[in-house]
Amino acid sequence: MESRSCMNVTCATLTTIRWRKGWALRSGEFADLCDKCGSAYEQSAYCDTFHSNDSGWRECTSCDKRLHCGCIASMSQLELLDTGGVSCISCARNSGLQPIAINEKPNLSGTSKVIDISAQQCTSLANQLNVRGMQGGNYAENDGLRCWFKPHKIETDVPSTEMKPEILPSVGELGSTLISQFHFESNGSSKASKAESCKADTEIRDIYESLAQTNLSMTLATPIGNSNPFHSSVVDEREQSKTSSLLLGSRSRHLLPKPPRSSSGTGLEVNAGMVSQIRVARPPAEGRGRNQLLPRYWPRITDQELQQISGDSNSTIVPLFEKMLSASDAGRIGRLVLPKACAEAYFPPISQPEGLPLRIQDVKGKEWMFQFRFWPNNNSRMYVLEGVTPCIQSMQLQAGDTVTFSRMDPEGKLIMGFRKATNSTAIQETLPSNMPNGSHSSETSYSGVYENLPILSGYSGLLQSQKGCSETHLNVLSKKWNSAGGDMNWHNIDIPESRKREGLPLPPVLVPEKKRTRNIGSKSKRLLIDSQDALELKLTWEEAQDLLRPPPAVKPSIVMIEDQVFEEYEEPPVFGKRSIFVVRSAGVNEQWTQCDSCSKWRKLPVDVLIPPKWTCVENLWDQSRSSCAAPNELNPRELDNLLRLNKEFKKQRLAASQRPALDHESSGLDALANAAILGDDASDSGRTPVVTTTKHPRHRPGCSCIVCIQPPSGKGKHKPTCTCNVCMTVKRRFKTLMMRKKKRQSEREAEIAQRNQLTWRTKDESEVDSTSRHLTPVDGLENEVRAPSELDPRTQDQVAEAAKGQLDLNCQPDREEAQTGPNNVSMTSLLEEANLPLETYLKQNGLTSLISEQQTNSASNVQAQTTNESEGRQNEDCGTASVIHEQDSSHEDNSGQDKDQNNSLS
DNA sequence: TTTCTGCATGTCCGT
DNA sequence: CGGACATGCAGAAAC
C-alpha cells in the first residue's frame, strides 16, 4: 500500500515527507538535489531511479551502490511508520505532531499520485506548522519545525499568500537535499548512530536555517487562463480537466517583478551574499503537452534575472523553459532546436513547416525576430528557432550555455534570457593535488564528494543549484555528510586545503551533469566509466601528467637515441595514484600516499610507483605498516606540515615552469629535460625524478599513448602553438637533444676545422675576397641563414639557431659551451664564426666544389640544397624525435621562413 | 566556394 | 521500444 505522510522530524528541526514504495517525486516539488544527476529539478529522475525493495529505498536501479542511494539509507534518521507517521530514529519519543492523514489517489495520468489533503487537515497543518503558503510542494515552518509536503490540491484550500515550491530557492534545494539525504532510510537500518544523528540534526538545523534565508516570493498559482496567450484557446478540455484535478498541471508560477523579501518565522534575514536564489520553476502547465516537460527544461531563474527581465514594470514574469545550447544550437547555422514539448506548449501553434516569425525580447530589452518553425521528423516534429545566430552572438553564448524562455504577463511577451555555463574545468581546478583527508575529520568532508563520479556529479549538481551559496553552507553540509556518512568512504581525493580553509565555494557548475556527459560523447556509446576513471577524467591535463605511470607488467624496451636512454613501452601509460613527495630538511626524500582502504598515510620509498589503487597490504617496504590496523604514520600536525612542504614544492614547480626560457640559471639539461618529460619540474629539489617520472615512451607518429591520442583540451590534436605540458615537454626534449647533438658535432667540427682550416684558407683566399665585395649586408645575413644547407648537416642546426637569433634554452650549465652567457663566446659560436663565412663565401661564389672537398657529403646543387634545407634537417631530426620535431612549431616556422628566404634569394 | 536549407539518421533517454 | 533531439549530409542558393 502506498501512502505518504507528512511528518515532523524531531530533533526540533525538520519536518518532511516520506514517500512509500512506488512513489515517485515526479513533480519534483521538493526540489531535492539528486546526488546522481545533480539537479534539483531532476528529482523525478532521482526518485525514479530508486527501486523499492523490501527494506525500503535502498536500491537504485541505475546507480546501485552509489552514495546516492547508500548514503541516504545510512544517513537516514526517520523511520516511516505504517500508520502514516514517522518517528525520529534518534529521539522518536519527542515526535511532536501527529501524522497527518493524507489520502492518495491515482491521478489521471496514472503515473503519479494525487494527494488530497482536506481543508481541515491543511488548516490544521497550517496552524501547527505555520504554513505560509502551500501549493505544490510546500514549505512550512514553525520554530524549527519545517515541513515539505506535496499536497496537490491544497491550493484551493489554502489562502494564497506566498508560495514556495515549484519555484524553490536554491537554498531550499540544498536544504531539502540534506533533509532527504538524512531522512530517507531503510526500515532495517534505522538504529544506527543515534548520537551522530542528533548531532547531525543540530547541524542540519543550522544548515537549514541558513538555507531558509531565502526569498520566498512566489505567488500562488494563477488561473490557467492567465497563462499562455498562444494557447488559451488551444487547451483541450481533457487536459483542462486533468489540470484542474491535478495540481501538477495547474501551476502557473507568477513571479513577482519585485519579489518581496519574505521574513521567515525564525526572523532570519536574508543574506544576500549567502544565497543566490535560484528559482526552480516548474513551468506553467499550459498549452499542448504541457505537463510533461523534462525537468532539464524547467526554468531556473534567479531573483536577479527576474528583476533584470522585469525591470521596473509591473509585469509578471513566467519562466517557461530553458535549454542548454548544444553545439548545433550555438553553431553558425543559427538554428536553435527547441524542445518539442516546450515549443508546443509555450510558442504559438504552427501548422506549416514554415512556421511564423516570433518576436522575442532579450533581457536587455532588445527584440529579436526569429523564425519559429518545425521540420517533419519521424512522424513527429522538430521545432527550431531560426536566425538565432545574432542573438546568440550578442549574448556571447556558446555550447553549454543555457537560454531561458520566459513570458511576461499579461503582455504575453516572450523573453529570452541566458545563463552562461560555468567552466567545467573549475571543478577540475578544485581537485587537489595531494591533499590529506581521512585523518582530518573536519576536512574530510569534501573528499567524499569527490570520491567517485556519482558523488562528484551530485556535488556539482548541488553546486549548480545553489550557485552563489556561500561556502558556509558547504562547510556545514560537508560536515554533515562527514559526520553522518558513517558508511561512506571518505578518502582519496579531497578539496584543496586552501579551499577548505579559506572556505572558497566550489565553483558552480551550471551544466547538468547528465547533459554534460551526454554532450561529451553524444556520438559514441554512453560512457560508462568507472568512478575512479571518472574522477581521473576530472583532473586537469596537467594534473594527469603527474599521475601517468608506466603500464604495469609491461617491460620497457631500452633504446638509445643519440646517447640518450629511452624507455619505450608498447602500452600507453596508466594512471597512478597520487602521492606526496617531500624533501626534508635533511635532504631525505619521502613519498607519502594514502591507503585506499583505510585512508591512512604511509611512507613509501621515493622511487616507488604506486598503482592507482593501493592499500596498506601492499606496503612491502614497511611491514609494521602493512596493515590497515597499523596506526597512521602522520598525525594531523605532521600532515599539515607535509602538505605545507608539498605546497611549497608545487609553488616552486610553478615558478620554475614559468621561468623565462632564457633563464640560464636553470638546472642542468638533464633536469630540464626530465622536467619536461615529467611535466614537472623535476629539477626542483623536492621531487626525485625517478619518482615522478612518467617514463613516458617517446612520442612517435602513430603513438597511441594517452598523451598522444588525447589532446589537452579534449579536442583535436595538439596544435603547433600548444603550450601544454606535453608539447612543452617534447619541445624541450627536442631542443635538449639537438643541443647535445650539436655539441658533439661541434667537437667533431672543431677537429676537422682545425685540420683543414689552413688548407682552405690557402686555397680560396683570393676567391673569398673577391666574392665578399658583392655581398650586401642583407645578403650576408641571409647567407648565414642559407649557408647551413651547404654545410655539413651536423652544423646546420647550429647555424639555423644562430641565424634565428635564438638561444638554446636548454643550455647545459655544466657544460662549458652552454654555460656561456650572453656576452660570452661559446665553443660552438666560435666554430661557427670560424667556419661559416668561409663556407658562405664559397657557396655564394658557386665554389661548391671546394665545399665538397671539405665535406663528406657533396653539395652539387646549391639550389636544391637550399630548397631542401629544412627538409634535410628535419630528416635528420627525425632520427631522434620526429614527432617532437613536428610539434616544435617555432622550429618549423623558422624553417619555413628560412625556406622562403632562400627561395626568394634564388 | 561558401552558405543555407531541409531532411535523414544515429544516439540517448523516458516509459 | 519509441520519441526526442543533436548533428551529419546532400542539394540548392548565394556569393
Side-chain angles (χ1 to χ4, degrees):
Chain A
M1 177 59 187
E2 294 173 354
S3 65
R4 190 181 67 167
S5 300
C6 176
M7 74 292 288
N8 74 302
V9 175
T10 57
C11 301
T13 49
L14 304 169
T15 301
T16 187
I17 281 182
R18 175 61 186 273
W19 278 261
R20 296 299 302 274
K21 298 176 184 177
W23 260 99
L25 310 184
R26 297 180 191 281
S27 71
E29 290 166 341
F30 286 83
D32 278 355
L33 287 176
C34 175
D35 285 321
K36 175 171 163 287
C37 70
S39 170
Y41 311 92
E42 298 187 357
Q43 188 185 22
S44 58
Y46 161 76
C47 295
D48 286 343
T49 59
F50 270 111
H51 168 70
S52 60
N53 58 21
D54 292 337
S55 59
W57 299 92
R58 274 181 167 276
E59 296 177 2
C60 178
T61 54
S62 63
C63 55
D64 190 22
K65 298 179 183 177
R66 300 284 167 85
L67 174 65
H68 170 51
C69 300
C71 70
I72 289 175
S74 65
M75 295 166 64
S76 61
Q77 298 161 349
L78 293 182
E79 184 170 18
L80 181 67
L81 304 177
D82 289 338
T83 55
V86 66
S87 64
C88 177
I89 300 305
S90 57
C91 48
R93 61 187 175 199
N94 292 332
S95 294
L97 296 179
Q98 294 299 317
I100 297 169
I102 298 177
N103 302 323
E104 70 173 23
K105 61 185 179 184
N107 66 4
L108 296 180
S109 71
T111 56
S112 61
K113 306 295 186 287
V114 175
I115 291 183
D116 291 335
I117 300 178
S118 68
Q120 184 178 359
Q121 287 171 329
C122 290
T123 304
S124 172
L125 179 63
N127 290 338
Q128 291 186 61
L129 302 182
N130 189 22
V131 174
R132 296 184 300 115
M134 291 186 286
Q135 180 208 10
N138 286 281
Y139 161 88
E141 60 181 322
N142 182 6
D143 287 341
L145 294 179
R146 294 165 177 91
C147 176
W148 280 266
F149 56 98
K150 187 184 182 180
H152 280 181
K153 294 181 71 176
I154 213 164
E155 84 283 4
T156 59
D157 302 323
V158 176
S160 67
T161 50
E162 295 178 53
M163 79 158 280
K164 239 333 131 92
E166 291 222 356
I167 302 178
L168 285 178
S170 58
V171 287
E173 302 161 27
L174 177 57
S176 57
T177 297
L178 293 172
I179 291 165
S180 70
Q181 290 193 350
F182 280 97
H183 296 272
F184 277 89
E185 68 155 337
S186 78
N187 292 334
S189 63
S190 60
K191 307 294 186 253
S193 61
K194 287 187 177 182
E196 284 188 9
S197 297
C198 282
K199 180 186 174 188
D201 261 351
T202 304
E203 293 176 355
I204 290 173
R205 177 175 52 192
D206 294 338
I207 300 169
Y208 178 76
E209 287 176 353
S210 62
L211 297 176
Q213 303 170 36
T214 180
N215 187 350
L216 309 175
S217 59
M218 309 312 298
T219 62
L220 281 178
T222 53
I224 297 175
N226 187 21
S227 54
N228 186 0
F230 304 124
H231 298 294
S232 58
S233 62
V234 180
V235 179
D236 61 71
E237 186 177 342
R238 185 170 52 90
E239 287 191 336
Q240 184 83 29
S241 65
K242 178 162 44 173
T243 300
S244 62
S245 64
L246 177 63
L247 180 63
L248 177 65
S250 65
R251 282 171 294 234
S252 176
R253 262 117 225 115
H254 284 229
L255 309 182
L256 295 179
K258 303 216 169 172
R261 300 281 173 184
S262 68
S263 57
S264 69
T266 58
L268 295 172
E269 295 179 2
V270 173
N271 186 343
M274 184 180 298
V275 176
S276 175
Q277 294 135 3
I278 298 178
R279 302 183 179 279
V280 185
R282 195 130 191 281
E286 55 199 30
R288 303 172 299 277
R290 54 197 173 192
N291 56 5
Q292 295 299 327
L293 294 191
L294 294 176
R296 65 167 173 265
Y297 299 129
W298 294 4
R300 303 145 212 221
I301 197 164
T302 64
D303 282 347
Q304 188 179 10
E305 291 167 334
L306 280 176
Q307 292 181 6
Q308 185 180 10
I309 293 172
S310 61
D312 294 330
S313 72
N314 292 324
S315 301
T316 299
I317 303 301
V318 182
L320 300 177
F321 67 94
E322 69 176 34
K323 192 205 173 192
M324 184 169 63
L325 294 180
S326 67
S328 301
D329 296 332
R332 290 187 306 170
I333 295 179
R335 297 189 299 205
L336 171 61
V337 176
L338 294 171
K340 186 184 176 208
C342 301
E344 293 184 342
Y346 307 121
F347 284 4
I350 50 177
S351 55
Q352 299 298 319
E354 293 75 20
L356 48 79
L358 203 59
R359 189 185 302 271
I360 299 181
Q361 179 178 310
D362 67 15
V363 293
K364 297 175 182 174
K366 183 175 182 179
E367 286 198 339
W368 301 89
M369 187 67 78
F370 305 130
Q371 186 72 18
F372 172 56
R373 57 172 308 176
F374 70 85
W375 305 323
N377 188 291
N378 291 338
N379 295 326
S380 180
R381 288 179 173 185
M382 191 168 175
Y383 290 90
V384 292
L385 268 187
E386 292 184 339
V388 299
T389 297
C391 180
I392 296 293
Q393 290 177 347
S394 166
M395 296 174 177
Q396 297 183 326
L397 300 180
Q398 53 189 354
D401 298 336
T402 301
V403 292
T404 62
F405 291 90
S406 306
R407 188 181 63 239
M408 185 181 291
D409 283 338
E411 305 95 308
K413 185 186 298 181
L414 288 173
I415 308 294
M416 184 179 181
F418 66 92
R419 186 168 63 242
K420 300 288 286 185
T422 302
N423 191 349
S424 59
T425 58
I427 274 287
Q428 299 171 358
E429 290 166 1
T430 68
L431 283 175
S433 46
N434 288 305
M435 300 307 296
N437 52 35
S439 59
H440 279 189
S441 60
S442 65
E443 295 180 348
T444 58
S445 47
Y446 286 105
S447 60
V449 170
Y450 289 95
E451 169 64 17
N452 54 31
L453 180 61
I455 305 174
L456 182 64
S457 302
Y459 197 70
S460 63
L462 179 142
L463 294 168
Q464 154 198 345
S465 54
Q466 50 132 21
K467 175 179 68 175
C469 184
S470 78
E471 53 83 22
T472 304
H473 297 133
L474 293 179
N475 284 342
V476 180
L477 166 63
S478 60
K479 285 178 184 174
K480 202 62 42 269
W481 284 358
N482 185 47
S483 60
D487 62 342
M488 291 183 208
N489 201 8
W490 305 105
H491 58 84
N492 244 2
I493 301 297
D494 344 318
I495 295 300
E497 187 76 15
S498 58
R499 283 200 177 271
K500 289 186 242 175
R501 195 169 290 141
E502 298 163 13
L504 294 177
L506 291 169
V509 179
L510 294 177
V511 180
E513 195 73 19
K514 264 187 189 174
K515 294 298 291 180
R516 275 194 283 129
T517 304
R518 177 177 177 172
N519 283 347
I520 286 173
S522 63
K523 275 300 186 181
S524 59
K525 279 192 171 183
R526 196 175 307 173
L527 215 52
L528 296 177
I529 40 184
D530 176 76
S531 59
Q532 185 68 27
D533 294 337
L535 168 66
E536 287 154 355
L537 288 175
K538 292 291 183 182
L539 301 174
T540 64
W541 180 255
E542 288 75 13
E543 286 172 327
Q545 305 308 301
D546 284 344
L547 300 180
L548 291 176
R549 300 284 186 272
V554 175
K555 284 191 174 181
S557 55
I558 307 299
V559 295
M560 294 286 291
I561 301 173
E562 300 289 330
D563 295 336
Q564 301 302 307
V565 178
F566 288 88
E567 290 182 2
E568 282 195 341
Y569 294 86
E570 295 299 323
E571 300 295 327
V574 298
F575 280 110
K577 181 177 177 57
R578 282 175 179 267
S579 56
I580 298 178
F581 294 87
V582 294
V583 175
R584 301 292 188 182
S585 56
V588 179
N589 293 350
E590 295 177 356
Q591 178 182 197
W592 292 85
T593 194
Q594 205 173 10
C595 172
D596 280 321
S597 176
C598 66
S599 301
K600 291 171 183 169
W601 288 90
R602 304 300 184 201
K603 184 167 70 176
L604 303 177
V606 292
D607 56 347
V608 171
L609 297 177
I610 310 169
K613 293 283 187 182
W614 187 89
T615 60
C616 294
V617 181
E618 300 170 69
N619 187 359
L620 308 175
W621 304 273
D622 186 353
Q623 294 299 327
S624 64
R625 313 277 186 181
S626 60
S627 165
C628 290
N632 200 337
E633 291 188 66
L634 291 176
N635 61 40
R637 178 180 295 272
E638 291 170 335
L639 194 54
D640 273 342
N641 188 42
L642 198 68
L643 291 170
R644 185 179 49 80
L645 289 173
N646 188 255
K647 196 174 180 180
E648 291 172 359
F649 163 70
K650 286 182 173 296
K651 270 185 184 175
Q652 292 171 2
R653 283 169 46 196
L654 183 64
S657 65
Q658 293 173 345
R659 199 172 297 157
L662 288 175
D663 186 355
H664 285 265
E665 295 178 2
S666 60
S667 56
L669 179 62
D670 285 330
L672 184 55
N674 280 330
I677 287 296
L678 296 175
D680 255 334
D681 188 354
S683 65
D684 200 294
S685 59
R687 209 153 183 168
T688 306
V690 69
V691 174
T692 56
T693 186
T694 62
K695 304 273 184 183
H696 187 275
R698 186 164 57 93
H699 299 286
R700 284 174 168 174
C703 172
S704 60
C705 76
I706 191 169
V707 172
C708 292
I709 65 175
Q710 204 168 22
S713 64
K715 292 178 179 178
K717 295 287 186 182
H718 292 265
K719 293 180 178 177
T721 56
C722 175
T723 57
C724 74
N725 253 357
V726 177
C727 292
M728 295 309 293
T729 293
V730 294
K731 287 174 184 175
R732 289 198 199 106
R733 169 57 77 182
F734 169 72
K735 290 182 178 178
T736 299
L737 294 173
M738 293 311 301
M739 181 62 205
R740 291 191 170 184
K741 189 174 69 175
K742 280 184 283 186
K743 179 175 174 297
R744 290 192 302 274
Q745 291 168 351
S746 301
E747 291 169 349
R748 289 192 291 266
E749 190 75 22
E751 293 176 5
I752 296 172
Q754 285 175 353
R755 271 189 271 116
N756 299 334
Q757 201 165 21
L758 263 180
T759 308
W760 294 347
R761 290 193 175 181
T762 304
K763 258 184 175 180
D764 309 320
E765 188 174 20
S766 58
E767 293 181 46
V768 167
D769 287 344
S770 61
T771 307
S772 64
R773 288 194 297 269
H774 301 293
L775 293 175
T776 66
V778 173
D779 288 336
L781 176 63
E782 289 176 344
N783 277 326
E784 284 214 51
V785 177
R786 180 181 163 187
S789 63
E790 262 89 291
L791 297 178
D792 185 317
R794 295 170 298 181
T795 64
Q796 291 179 5
D797 289 290
Q798 298 172 11
V799 179
E801 290 272 333
K804 285 181 285 188
Q806 290 183 348
L807 296 176
D808 191 338
L809 308 184
N810 293 285
C811 297
Q812 210 169 356
D814 56 344
R815 309 267 177 118
E816 53 182 0
E817 303 94 311
Q819 281 176 336
T820 57
N823 297 326
N824 294 336
V825 179
S826 69
M827 176 72 79
T828 305
S829 61
L830 283 173
L831 287 170
E832 289 171 4
E833 296 209 1
N835 295 325
L836 283 179
L838 169 63
E839 294 160 1
T840 300
Y841 299 154
L842 291 177
K843 191 191 69 173
Q844 280 296 313
N845 290 277
L847 303 176
T848 54
S849 59
L850 295 178
I851 297 175
S852 62
E853 286 181 13
Q854 52 178 297
Q855 296 179 351
T856 51
N857 53 337
S858 65
S860 58
N861 189 318
V862 173
Q863 174 82 22
Q865 285 182 356
T866 303
T867 306
N868 296 326
E869 167 200 333
S870 299
E871 193 178 325
R873 194 172 64 210
Q874 281 183 358
N875 289 338
E876 182 183 277
D877 295 340
C878 284
T880 55
S882 56
V883 174
I884 289 171
H885 196 149
E886 286 176 13
Q887 299 195 31
D888 190 344
S889 60
S890 62
H891 196 110
E892 282 187 346
D893 292 341
N894 285 312
S895 297
Q897 290 172 6
D898 294 347
K899 268 187 192 174
D900 293 340
Q901 286 180 337
N902 294 327
N903 289 337
S904 64
L905 260 184
S906 310

